[in-house]
Amino acid sequence: MPAYEILSHRIFWCLIFVIILIYSKGQWDLTINEIKNIIKNYRRVFGVILAALFINSNWFLYIWAVNNNHLVDASLGFYINPLISVLLGMIFLKERFNATQYTAFLIALSGVLFLIFKLGHIPYISLILATSFAFYSLLKKTYPTSPLTSIGLDTLIASFLSIVVIIYFQKTGIGHFGWQFPINSLLLIGAGVVTAIPLLLFVMAAKHMTLSLLGFIQYISPTMTLLIGIFIYHESFTINHFIAFLLIWLGLLLFSWAQAKAYASLETRLHPKKIEN
């Protein structure tokens, strides 16, 4: 099944699922008010449209990578993503780190640079995946809305084109959705659900965490993708990949430890009696 057909269904069914959630949670008024506030500010309109473009292009390339046996490249892209998120956090949001966190960042960066050097070429798939999602994260941090409104707009903006693609595939008889394809149809509908739930949680997290910490936590997902690529689809994973990923994992652990230590110190200062008890 071509990536653009999968993406079109993913966008459409994600939008339907979000609309159902908005209705069931009684958030119509909140959603409409947030959309009205966005429309009043042309910068927010531009930011929302740009975020939708970034996330939908990210989805498309990821689907294409999976379908064309580039799971390891996709995994690397989401390992690079937190590094770019850290840079964007420093440049645009003025986020600052201690020496340990800077060291962790440099260790993880060295792993990425080592792999690029050993591969002998720039991993375009990985870099585009990383950059598109990092900028999406930045825009969500800069122009926050409620999670359901956020995901609804991301999919609504792209849904017009996706509906045209779905209709074309179905009318020409080359589509993979319908009663004659029950398993495919259920999987395509399910893709919308499993798209919405992680994004809702991501948007909620983006409102309450620093962009840099949010980026580093995202190493969990590419690790799972990497393991699937190696052990289920048997993609190539050389000693150079292992060294690079080992450096990235080391940077992640060090950064996470430093962040946890900083939060513990802050909690002690804010609630000393509570900590003693």
Side-chain angles (χ1 to χ4, degrees):
M1 196 183 303
Y4 40 88
E5 183 183 5
I6 298 174
L7 176 64
S8 297
H9 279 280
R10 182 178 181 177
I11 292 169
F12 176 75
W13 293 111
C14 181
L15 176 62
I16 297 300
F17 180 66
V18 169
I19 290 174
I20 292 172
L21 285 179
I22 292 174
Y23 178 78
S24 64
K25 294 175 70 68
Q27 293 188 8
W28 276 118
D29 291 340
L30 173 63
T31 300
I32 296 300
N33 288 334
E34 287 188 317
I35 292 175
K36 287 181 179 179
N37 290 332
I38 290 172
I39 294 174
K40 292 177 183 178
N41 187 321
Y42 74 93
R43 289 186 177 180
R44 296 198 70 185
V45 171
F46 179 74
V48 167
I49 294 174
L50 200 58
L53 291 175
F54 276 127
I55 192 60
N56 284 285
S57 61
N58 181 276
W59 288 348
F60 174 78
L61 184 57
Y62 184 80
I63 294 170
W64 181 90
V66 170
N67 282 3
N68 290 273
N69 302 315
H70 289 286
L71 271 170
V72 173
D73 290 331
S75 171
L76 177 62
F78 286 102
Y79 276 119
I80 298 174
N81 165 57
L83 301 177
I84 298 178
S85 289
V86 168
L87 290 175
L88 296 181
M90 290 189 293
I91 295 171
F92 293 102
L93 304 181
K94 309 303 180 183
E95 295 180 357
R96 293 294 178 262
F97 312 103
N98 57 40
T100 304
Q101 291 168 322
Y102 276 116
T103 302
F105 172 79
L106 293 175
I107 291 173
L109 178 61
S110 67
V112 175
L113 295 177
F114 171 82
L115 186 58
I116 291 175
F117 174 76
K118 286 296 182 180
L119 289 175
H121 64 271
I122 298 175
Y124 293 103
I125 295 174
S126 305
L127 289 176
I128 295 174
L129 282 172
T131 303
S132 58
F133 200 79
F135 273 100
Y136 173 75
S137 303
L138 175 65
L139 288 165
K140 288 302 176 182
K141 187 73 175 177
T142 307
Y143 302 106
T145 55
S146 66
L148 286 174
T149 302
S150 175
I151 308 307
L153 288 173
D154 289 339
T155 50
L156 177 63
I157 291 170
S159 66
F160 301 102
L161 180 58
S162 70
I163 291 172
V164 171
V165 172
I166 292 172
I167 292 174
Y168 170 78
F169 268 80
Q170 295 304 118
K171 287 289 186 180
T172 55
I174 59 175
H176 297 81
F177 186 86
W179 295 113
Q180 66 272 40
F181 304 107
I183 301 301
N184 283 347
S185 300
L186 289 174
L187 289 173
L188 288 171
I189 294 172
V193 177
V194 299
T195 294
I197 293 174
L199 276 177
L200 288 171
L201 296 175
F202 172 79
V203 173
M204 291 171 64
K207 294 171 64 177
H208 300 288
M209 300 167 62
T210 63
L211 183 63
S212 52
L213 178 59
L214 187 65
F216 268 87
I217 285 178
Q218 289 172 49
Y219 275 125
I220 296 171
S221 176
T223 300
M224 296 172 67
T225 302
L226 176 65
L227 294 175
I228 291 172
I230 295 172
F231 295 107
I232 297 181
Y233 293 101
H234 308 292
E235 291 189 12
S236 174
F237 188 75
T238 66
I239 185 63
N240 293 328
H241 285 93
F242 177 76
I243 294 172
F245 279 65
L246 188 63
L247 289 169
I248 293 171
W249 290 327
L250 179 60
L252 166 64
L253 291 173
L254 184 59
F255 187 93
S256 300
W257 174 80
Q259 192 74 40
K261 187 177 180 181
Y263 278 142
S265 177
L266 178 62
E267 186 70 14
T268 301
R269 292 197 302 270
L270 293 177
H271 307 286
K273 293 184 179 179
K274 181 179 178 181
I275 299 299
E276 289 176 4
N277 294 334

